[in-house]
Amino acid sequence: MPLLQLVYASRPFGFDAAVLIDILFKARANNAAAEVTGCLICRDDLYLQLLEGPADEVEAIYAKIKADDRHVEVTELVKQPADKRMFGAWAMRDDPVQSWMWTRDQVNQGAVNTASPSDVLRIFELLVERAPHSG
């Protein structure tokens, strides 16, 4: 079955540790049931998430995210078929709030919207290269 990779960015609304734990707990359960894997990079100023799996399941999860009031300014950055999963070992890997990618100033200046799809995917490739393999 062909896989779909979808990456979106959004701004958190009401971000705190409890909200993040709730999002990750629900995402891991829902994604595992839907055979969707991925990664969520989360900070108080940015969510950047890669979802991968069967196209209809990824689209359904993304539709729920767009309707979730904990996200504002949801923007699709990458949507493409994929031959293999980047995060096959993770129902939903998360990157700590102290993410090493764009700075707050860069995000405020529009780095998310001006990044190319390959630049966005490279962020996730670096996480795969640097992370221990766990669920």
Side-chain angles (χ1 to χ4, degrees), residues 5-10 46-49 62 73-80 102 110-118 120-121 123-124:
Q5 273 185 341
L6 187 144
V7 179
Y8 75 88
S10 67
L46 174 71
Y47 289 143
L48 186 68
Q49 184 169 18
Y62 183 54
E73 301 174 22
V74 179
T75 305
E76 184 178 297
L77 301 175
V78 178
K79 185 176 179 181
Q80 66 183 22
W102 297 302
V112 173
N113 296 321
T114 60
S116 71
S118 61
V120 171
L121 290 173
I123 292 167
F124 292 100

Side-chain angles (χ1 to χ4, degrees), residues 31-135:
N31 291 1
E35 298 182 9
V36 170
T37 55
C39 180
L40 173 62
I41 297 172
C42 41
R43 303 189 317 204
D44 64 350
D45 65 332
L46 174 71
Y47 289 143
L48 186 68
Q49 184 169 18
L50 181 144
L51 298 166
E52 57 192 1
D56 57 338
E57 299 291 351
V58 169
E59 294 281 8
I61 289 170
Y62 183 54
K64 289 179 186 177
I65 289 165
K66 289 190 295 186
D68 188 328
D69 62 4
R70 296 172 295 188
H71 299 264
V72 295
E73 301 174 22
V74 179
T75 305
E76 184 178 297
L77 301 175
V78 178
K79 185 176 179 181
Q80 66 183 22
D83 294 328
K84 64 179 186 168
R85 296 174 187 258
M86 289 176 69
F87 293 93
W90 293 279
M92 184 50 55
R93 183 184 187 281
D94 67 291
D95 187 45
V97 175
Q98 303 83 9
S99 182
W100 44 263
M101 42 172 263
W102 297 302
T103 66
R104 181 179 303 278
D105 285 341
Q106 289 170 319
V107 169
N108 289 337
Q109 293 170 9
V112 173
N113 296 321
T114 60
S116 71
S118 61
D119 289 340
V120 171
L121 290 173
R122 185 65 187 141
I123 292 167
F124 292 100
E125 290 166 357
L126 288 169
L127 280 174
V128 170
E129 292 169 10
R130 296 175 183 193
H133 295 284
S134 64

